[in-house]
Amino acid sequence: MGIKITGVGHYVPDFIVTNDDLAKIVDTSDDWITQRTGIKRRRIATGELAYQMGAKAAKEALKDAGQSIDDIDMILVSTITPDCFTPSIACLIGNELGTKTAVAMDLNAACSGYIYAMDIARNFLETGAYRNILIVSTEIISRVIDYSDRTTCVLFGDGAGATVVTRSNGIYSSSLGGNPSGAYKLFAKMKHHKNPWSLAQENYEMDKVNDFSYGHISMEGEEIFKFAALTLPKVVQSVLKQANLTLDELDLLVPHQANIRILQAANRRLKLPEEKLYVGIEDYGNISSACIPLGLWHLKKEGKLKNHDKICIAGFGAGLTYGAIVFEW
Ligand code: UT7
Protein backbone atom coordinates (compact mmCIF):
# COMPACT_ATOMS: atom_id res chain seq x y z
CA MET A 1 0.00 0.00 0.00
CA GLY A 2 1.23 3.48 -0.86
CA ILE A 3 0.25 6.90 0.35
CA LYS A 4 -1.03 9.92 -1.52
CA ILE A 5 -0.43 13.46 -0.35
CA THR A 6 -3.74 15.11 -1.18
CA GLY A 7 -2.97 18.56 0.23
CA VAL A 8 0.00 20.67 1.28
CA GLY A 9 0.13 23.81 3.42
CA HIS A 10 2.64 26.08 5.05
CA TYR A 11 3.10 28.99 7.38
CA VAL A 12 6.21 31.09 7.91
CA PRO A 13 6.43 34.18 10.13
CA ASP A 14 6.61 37.50 8.25
CA PHE A 15 9.68 38.66 10.15
CA ILE A 16 12.94 38.09 8.24
CA VAL A 17 16.37 38.08 9.90
CA THR A 18 19.21 38.42 7.38
CA ASN A 19 22.83 37.42 7.87
CA ASP A 20 23.69 41.13 8.15
CA ASP A 21 21.12 41.47 10.96
CA LEU A 22 22.88 38.64 12.84
CA ALA A 23 26.29 40.24 12.23
CA LYS A 24 25.03 43.18 14.32
CA ILE A 25 24.54 40.97 17.39
CA VAL A 26 27.29 38.31 17.12
CA ASP A 27 30.78 38.15 15.63
CA THR A 28 29.83 36.77 12.21
CA SER A 29 29.42 37.94 8.62
CA ASP A 30 27.19 37.40 5.60
CA ASP A 31 30.22 35.94 3.80
CA TRP A 32 30.94 33.33 6.50
CA ILE A 33 27.32 32.21 6.85
CA THR A 34 26.71 32.08 3.08
CA GLN A 35 29.90 30.17 2.30
CA ARG A 36 29.75 27.73 5.22
CA THR A 37 25.99 27.07 5.23
CA GLY A 38 24.24 28.46 2.12
CA ILE A 39 21.83 30.41 4.35
CA LYS A 40 21.06 34.07 3.53
CA ARG A 41 18.00 34.73 5.71
CA ARG A 42 15.54 33.00 8.01
CA ARG A 43 11.98 33.65 9.28
CA ILE A 44 11.68 34.27 13.02
CA ALA A 45 8.49 34.10 15.09
CA THR A 46 7.83 37.32 16.95
CA GLY A 47 4.75 36.29 18.91
CA GLU A 48 3.24 33.34 17.08
CA LEU A 49 2.91 30.09 19.00
CA ALA A 50 3.90 26.78 17.42
CA TYR A 51 0.33 25.47 17.46
CA GLN A 52 -0.96 28.66 15.79
CA MET A 53 1.63 28.33 13.01
CA GLY A 54 0.82 24.64 12.65
CA ALA A 55 -2.93 25.33 12.52
CA LYS A 56 -2.44 27.87 9.71
CA ALA A 57 -0.37 25.37 7.72
CA ALA A 58 -2.97 22.67 8.42
CA LYS A 59 -5.89 24.85 7.24
CA GLU A 60 -4.06 25.53 4.00
CA ALA A 61 -3.33 21.81 3.54
CA LEU A 62 -6.99 20.89 4.10
CA LYS A 63 -8.11 23.55 1.61
CA ASP A 64 -5.55 22.27 -0.90
CA ALA A 65 -6.89 18.73 -0.42
CA GLY A 66 -10.47 19.93 -0.82
CA GLN A 67 -11.25 18.34 2.53
CA SER A 68 -12.55 19.51 5.86
CA ILE A 69 -11.36 18.72 9.37
CA ASP A 70 -14.29 16.28 9.63
CA ASP A 71 -12.49 14.07 7.09
CA ILE A 72 -9.42 13.80 9.33
CA ASP A 73 -9.17 10.77 11.62
CA MET A 74 -5.79 11.54 13.10
CA ILE A 75 -3.56 14.57 13.64
CA LEU A 76 0.15 13.83 13.98
CA VAL A 77 2.46 16.69 14.87
CA SER A 78 6.23 16.63 14.78
CA THR A 79 8.02 19.31 16.78
CA ILE A 80 10.98 19.82 19.07
CA THR A 81 9.64 23.15 20.30
CA PRO A 82 6.14 22.58 21.70
CA ASP A 83 4.23 25.40 23.41
CA CYS A 84 3.45 23.40 26.55
CA PHE A 85 4.27 20.16 28.35
CA THR A 86 0.67 19.04 27.95
CA PRO A 87 -1.60 18.70 26.04
CA SER A 88 0.07 17.87 22.75
CA ILE A 89 0.36 20.53 20.06
CA ALA A 90 -1.73 18.13 17.97
CA CYS A 91 -4.62 18.62 20.43
CA LEU A 92 -4.21 22.41 20.36
CA ILE A 93 -4.24 22.32 16.55
CA GLY A 94 -7.25 19.98 16.56
CA ASN A 95 -9.08 22.39 18.85
CA GLU A 96 -8.22 25.33 16.58
CA LEU A 97 -9.47 23.41 13.54
CA GLY A 98 -12.65 22.34 15.30
CA THR A 99 -12.43 18.55 15.48
CA LYS A 100 -14.15 16.72 18.30
CA THR A 101 -13.16 13.23 17.21
CA ALA A 102 -9.66 13.07 15.72
CA VAL A 103 -6.93 11.12 17.48
CA ALA A 104 -4.16 13.65 18.13
CA MET A 105 -0.57 13.25 19.25
CA ASP A 106 2.93 14.71 18.96
CA LEU A 107 6.22 13.07 18.18
CA ASN A 108 9.78 14.28 18.57
CA ALA A 109 12.30 12.83 16.16
CA ALA A 110 14.07 16.18 15.72
CA CYS A 111 14.84 17.02 12.08
CA SER A 112 13.69 13.54 10.97
CA GLY A 113 10.26 14.21 12.52
CA TYR A 114 8.30 14.56 9.29
CA ILE A 115 9.79 11.33 7.91
CA TYR A 116 8.96 9.41 11.10
CA ALA A 117 5.45 10.91 11.14
CA MET A 118 4.81 9.96 7.52
CA ASP A 119 5.82 6.34 8.17
CA ILE A 120 3.67 6.15 11.32
CA ALA A 121 0.76 7.62 9.34
CA ARG A 122 1.24 5.10 6.56
CA ASN A 123 1.13 2.22 9.04
CA PHE A 124 -2.10 3.51 10.59
CA LEU A 125 -3.61 3.93 7.11
CA GLU A 126 -2.55 0.41 6.19
CA THR A 127 -4.42 -1.12 9.13
CA GLY A 128 -7.59 0.42 7.71
CA ALA A 129 -8.25 2.16 11.01
CA TYR A 130 -7.95 5.64 9.48
CA ARG A 131 -8.74 7.14 6.08
CA ASN A 132 -7.06 10.55 6.22
CA ILE A 133 -4.24 11.73 8.45
CA LEU A 134 -3.07 15.30 8.90
CA ILE A 135 0.68 15.58 9.47
CA VAL A 136 1.89 18.94 10.77
CA SER A 137 5.49 19.92 11.43
CA THR A 138 5.74 23.17 13.34
CA GLU A 139 8.91 24.59 14.82
CA ILE A 140 9.96 27.73 16.65
CA ILE A 141 13.64 26.90 16.86
CA SER A 142 14.44 30.51 17.84
CA ARG A 143 13.02 29.54 21.27
CA VAL A 144 15.96 27.25 21.95
CA ILE A 145 18.72 29.37 20.45
CA ASP A 146 21.31 31.34 22.37
CA TYR A 147 21.67 34.48 20.25
CA SER A 148 25.12 35.13 21.69
CA ASP A 149 26.41 31.78 20.31
CA ARG A 150 27.49 32.35 16.72
CA THR A 151 28.08 28.64 16.13
CA THR A 152 24.35 27.86 16.36
CA CYS A 153 22.31 31.07 16.07
CA VAL A 154 23.04 31.59 12.37
CA LEU A 155 21.76 28.15 11.37
CA PHE A 156 18.13 27.98 12.38
CA GLY A 157 14.74 29.54 11.58
CA ASP A 158 11.02 29.12 12.34
CA GLY A 159 8.11 27.84 10.27
CA ALA A 160 5.55 25.12 9.67
CA GLY A 161 4.47 22.72 6.96
CA ALA A 162 1.47 20.40 6.78
CA THR A 163 0.23 17.59 4.56
CA VAL A 164 -2.94 15.52 4.33
CA VAL A 165 -2.20 11.87 3.53
CA THR A 166 -4.44 9.06 2.45
CA ARG A 167 -4.09 5.52 1.01
CA SER A 168 -3.08 4.84 -2.59
CA ASN A 169 -1.84 2.04 -4.80
CA GLY A 170 1.40 3.84 -5.59
CA ILE A 171 4.86 2.70 -4.58
CA TYR A 172 6.00 3.24 -1.02
CA SER A 173 9.15 2.26 0.76
CA SER A 174 10.68 3.53 3.98
CA SER A 175 13.97 3.15 5.76
CA LEU A 176 14.14 4.69 9.22
CA GLY A 177 17.02 4.49 11.63
CA GLY A 178 18.65 5.88 14.71
CA ASN A 179 21.84 5.87 16.70
CA PRO A 180 21.08 6.95 20.27
CA SER A 181 24.77 6.68 21.17
CA GLY A 182 24.88 10.16 19.61
CA ALA A 183 22.09 11.44 21.87
CA TYR A 184 24.25 14.15 23.44
CA LYS A 185 25.71 15.50 20.20
CA LEU A 186 22.82 17.91 19.67
CA PHE A 187 21.14 18.79 22.91
CA ALA A 188 18.84 21.36 24.49
CA LYS A 189 18.47 21.01 28.24
CA MET A 190 15.09 21.59 29.94
CA LYS A 191 14.58 23.47 33.18
CA HIS A 192 12.47 21.47 35.67
CA HIS A 193 10.80 22.54 38.89
CA LYS A 194 12.14 20.76 41.93
CA ASN A 195 9.65 18.79 43.97
CA PRO A 196 9.71 19.24 47.77
CA TRP A 197 11.73 16.04 48.19
CA SER A 198 14.43 16.72 45.60
CA LEU A 199 17.83 16.24 47.16
CA ALA A 200 20.31 17.15 44.54
CA GLN A 201 20.81 18.76 41.19
CA GLU A 202 19.63 16.53 38.34
CA ASN A 203 22.60 15.08 36.55
CA TYR A 204 22.72 13.93 32.97
CA GLU A 205 24.88 10.98 32.09
CA MET A 206 27.49 13.19 30.44
CA ASP A 207 29.24 15.75 32.63
CA LYS A 208 29.63 18.02 29.65
CA VAL A 209 25.87 18.35 29.26
CA ASN A 210 25.52 19.47 32.87
CA ASP A 211 27.42 22.63 31.97
CA PHE A 212 25.12 23.50 29.05
CA SER A 213 22.82 26.45 29.55
CA TYR A 214 19.16 25.62 30.08
CA GLY A 215 16.87 25.79 27.08
CA HIS A 216 19.58 26.39 24.45
CA ILE A 217 20.78 24.11 21.67
CA SER A 218 24.38 22.95 22.04
CA MET A 219 25.81 21.07 19.12
CA GLU A 220 28.95 19.25 18.07
CA GLY A 221 28.69 20.82 14.62
CA GLU A 222 31.49 18.96 12.91
CA GLU A 223 30.34 15.57 14.22
CA ILE A 224 26.76 16.21 13.11
CA PHE A 225 28.04 17.38 9.74
CA LYS A 226 29.98 14.14 9.18
CA PHE A 227 27.05 12.01 10.36
CA ALA A 228 24.67 13.85 8.02
CA ALA A 229 26.94 13.85 4.98
CA LEU A 230 27.52 10.08 5.30
CA THR A 231 24.00 9.06 6.36
CA LEU A 232 21.98 11.03 3.82
CA PRO A 233 23.31 9.31 0.65
CA LYS A 234 23.34 5.91 2.39
CA VAL A 235 19.71 6.07 3.49
CA VAL A 236 18.57 7.36 0.09
CA GLN A 237 20.40 4.54 -1.68
CA SER A 238 18.97 2.00 0.75
CA VAL A 239 15.35 3.12 0.39
CA LEU A 240 15.62 3.20 -3.41
CA LYS A 241 17.07 -0.30 -3.43
CA GLN A 242 14.20 -1.48 -1.26
CA ALA A 243 11.72 0.11 -3.68
CA ASN A 244 13.51 -1.47 -6.65
CA LEU A 245 14.22 1.93 -8.15
CA THR A 246 17.43 3.37 -9.56
CA LEU A 247 18.62 6.92 -8.95
CA ASP A 248 17.82 7.64 -12.62
CA GLU A 249 14.20 6.66 -12.04
CA LEU A 250 13.87 9.07 -9.11
CA ASP A 251 12.21 12.37 -10.06
CA LEU A 252 13.05 14.40 -6.98
CA LEU A 253 14.97 14.22 -3.73
CA VAL A 254 13.63 16.50 -0.99
CA PRO A 255 16.16 16.31 1.85
CA HIS A 256 16.27 17.98 5.25
CA GLN A 257 17.87 21.42 4.91
CA ALA A 258 20.67 21.86 7.45
CA ASN A 259 23.63 23.05 5.42
CA ILE A 260 24.15 23.40 1.66
CA ARG A 261 27.55 21.72 2.09
CA ILE A 262 25.88 18.62 3.57
CA LEU A 263 23.63 18.42 0.50
CA GLN A 264 26.59 18.94 -1.84
CA ALA A 265 28.66 16.30 -0.03
CA ALA A 266 25.74 13.84 -0.18
CA ASN A 267 25.21 14.55 -3.86
CA ARG A 268 28.86 13.93 -4.68
CA ARG A 269 27.94 10.29 -3.91
CA LEU A 270 24.44 10.26 -5.37
CA LYS A 271 25.27 12.32 -8.48
CA LEU A 272 21.71 13.54 -9.01
CA PRO A 273 21.28 16.28 -11.60
CA GLU A 274 20.81 19.69 -9.97
CA GLU A 275 17.14 19.93 -10.93
CA LYS A 276 16.33 16.70 -9.05
CA LEU A 277 17.69 17.96 -5.72
CA TYR A 278 15.48 20.36 -3.77
CA VAL A 279 17.42 23.14 -2.02
CA GLY A 280 15.50 25.72 0.00
CA ILE A 281 17.99 26.58 2.71
CA GLU A 282 18.88 30.05 1.41
CA ASP A 283 15.59 31.64 2.49
CA TYR A 284 14.70 29.68 5.63
CA GLY A 285 17.78 28.10 7.23
CA ASN A 286 17.23 24.93 9.21
CA ILE A 287 13.61 24.67 10.49
CA SER A 288 14.08 21.13 11.80
CA SER A 289 11.16 18.85 10.90
CA ALA A 290 9.31 21.60 8.99
CA CYS A 291 11.94 21.79 6.21
CA ILE A 292 10.60 18.86 4.19
CA PRO A 293 6.84 19.66 4.18
CA LEU A 294 7.68 23.33 3.55
CA GLY A 295 9.81 22.16 0.62
CA LEU A 296 6.91 20.06 -0.72
CA TRP A 297 4.64 23.12 -0.47
CA HIS A 298 7.13 25.21 -2.50
CA LEU A 299 7.57 22.51 -5.12
CA LYS A 300 3.82 22.08 -5.53
CA LYS A 301 3.26 25.85 -5.77
CA GLU A 302 5.96 26.09 -8.43
CA GLY A 303 4.31 23.29 -10.45
CA LYS A 304 7.32 21.01 -10.05
CA LEU A 305 5.38 17.97 -8.80
CA LYS A 306 3.56 15.85 -11.35
CA ASN A 307 1.20 12.93 -10.88
CA HIS A 308 3.13 9.68 -10.32
CA ASP A 309 6.48 11.45 -9.88
CA LYS A 310 8.73 9.34 -7.67
CA ILE A 311 9.75 11.45 -4.71
CA CYS A 312 12.29 10.63 -2.03
CA ILE A 313 12.21 12.57 1.23
CA ALA A 314 15.18 12.11 3.55
CA GLY A 315 16.11 13.52 6.93
CA PHE A 316 18.66 13.34 9.72
CA GLY A 317 18.99 15.06 13.05
CA ALA A 318 19.36 15.06 16.80
CA GLY A 319 18.99 11.75 18.54
CA LEU A 320 20.64 10.75 16.32
CA THR A 321 17.74 10.00 13.99
CA TYR A 322 17.53 9.52 10.26
CA GLY A 323 15.24 8.14 7.61
CA ALA A 324 14.08 8.22 4.02
CA ILE A 325 10.81 7.44 2.26
CA VAL A 326 10.13 6.99 -1.41
CA PHE A 327 6.56 7.45 -2.62
CA GLU A 328 4.55 8.47 -5.66
CA TRP A 329 3.15 11.96 -5.96
O1 UT7 B 1 19.62 19.55 11.48
C1 UT7 B 1 20.81 19.00 11.97
C2 UT7 B 1 21.43 20.00 12.84
N1 UT7 B 1 22.65 20.61 12.53
C3 UT7 B 1 23.48 20.44 11.51
O2 UT7 B 1 23.27 19.69 10.61
C4 UT7 B 1 24.75 21.24 11.52
C5 UT7 B 1 25.93 20.47 11.00
N2 UT7 B 1 27.16 21.22 11.07
C6 UT7 B 1 27.42 22.28 10.28
O3 UT7 B 1 26.61 22.66 9.46
C7 UT7 B 1 28.78 22.94 10.39
O4 UT7 B 1 29.63 22.14 11.18
C8 UT7 B 1 28.70 24.39 11.01
C9 UT7 B 1 28.00 25.33 10.04
C10 UT7 B 1 27.97 24.35 12.34
C11 UT7 B 1 30.12 24.91 11.23
O5 UT7 B 1 30.82 25.00 10.00
P1 UT7 B 1 32.33 24.55 9.90
O6 UT7 B 1 32.78 24.84 8.53
O7 UT7 B 1 32.41 23.13 10.37
O8 UT7 B 1 33.04 25.53 10.89
P2 UT7 B 1 33.90 25.17 12.19
O9 UT7 B 1 32.99 24.74 13.28
O10 UT7 B 1 35.02 24.26 11.79
O11 UT7 B 1 34.51 26.57 12.55
C12 UT7 B 1 35.47 27.21 11.70
C13 UT7 B 1 35.76 28.58 12.30
C14 UT7 B 1 36.01 28.55 13.80
O12 UT7 B 1 36.98 29.52 14.09
P3 UT7 B 1 38.53 29.09 14.34
O13 UT7 B 1 38.49 28.14 15.50
O14 UT7 B 1 38.97 28.43 13.07
O15 UT7 B 1 39.19 30.37 14.62
C15 UT7 B 1 34.69 29.00 14.38
O16 UT7 B 1 34.84 29.63 15.63
O17 UT7 B 1 34.62 29.41 12.09
C16 UT7 B 1 34.24 29.99 13.34
N3 UT7 B 1 32.80 30.19 13.34
C17 UT7 B 1 32.25 31.29 12.83
N4 UT7 B 1 32.77 32.39 12.29
C18 UT7 B 1 31.92 33.33 11.87
C19 UT7 B 1 31.83 29.35 13.77
N5 UT7 B 1 30.63 29.92 13.57
C20 UT7 B 1 30.86 31.12 12.99
C21 UT7 B 1 30.02 32.14 12.54
N6 UT7 B 1 30.59 33.23 11.98
N7 UT7 B 1 28.69 32.08 12.64
Side-chain angles (χ1 to χ4, degrees), residues 84-144:
C84 44
F85 285 112
T86 194
S88 65
I89 297 295
C91 286
L92 296 181
I93 291 175
N95 180 47
E96 184 81 7
L97 299 181
T99 176
K100 290 193 170 67
T101 53
V103 173
M105 66 177 177
D106 291 359
L107 70 95
N108 176 344
C111 304
S112 313
Y114 180 76
I115 309 275
Y116 275 43
M118 168 91 92
D119 209 39
I120 291 169
R122 189 260 184 181
N123 287 331
F124 273 113
L125 291 168
E126 192 175 31
T127 65
Y130 303 128
R131 297 156 304 145
N132 299 298
I133 298 181
L134 176 63
I135 305 175
V136 184
S137 299
T138 182
E139 306 278 13
I140 304 187
I141 309 296
S142 60
R143 279 177 170 165
V144 287

Side-chain angles (χ1 to χ4, degrees), residues 28 32 36 111 150 154 186 219 221 224 256 258-259 261 286:
T28 191
W32 193 96
R36 300 291 183 119
C111 304
R150 68 176 183 173
V154 302
L186 204 168
M219 181 175 73
I224 301 280
H256 171 52
N259 187 323
R261 291 188 297 128
N286 182 348

Side-chain angles (χ1 to χ4, degrees), residues 26-29 32-33 36-37 111 150-152 154-156 186 219-222 224-225 228 256-259 261-262 286 288 316-318:
V26 280
D27 182 14
T28 191
S29 64
W32 193 96
I33 302 170
R36 300 291 183 119
T37 71
C111 304
R150 68 176 183 173
T151 66
T152 51
V154 302
L155 303 175
F156 297 94
L186 204 168
M219 181 175 73
E220 292 177 31
E222 204 185 325
I224 301 280
F225 189 100
H256 171 52
Q257 309 283 312
N259 187 323
R261 291 188 297 128
I262 292 175
N286 182 348
S288 193
F316 51 85

Side-chain angles (χ1 to χ4, degrees), residues 280-329:
I281 194 162
E282 186 175 330
D283 289 332
Y284 297 115
N286 182 348
I287 324 178
S288 193
S289 70
C291 289
I292 291 173
L294 183 60
L296 292 174
W297 176 81
H298 265 288
L299 288 161
K300 183 167 185 186
K301 193 178 84 151
E302 289 158 20
K304 291 184 177 159
L305 295 168
K306 289 171 210 71
N307 248 352
H308 302 300
D309 272 358
K310 291 165 197 74
I311 315 284
C312 180
I313 54 176
F316 51 85
L320 300 169
T321 60
Y322 58 88
I325 293 174
V326 62
F327 65 100
E328 249 173 84
W329 190 256

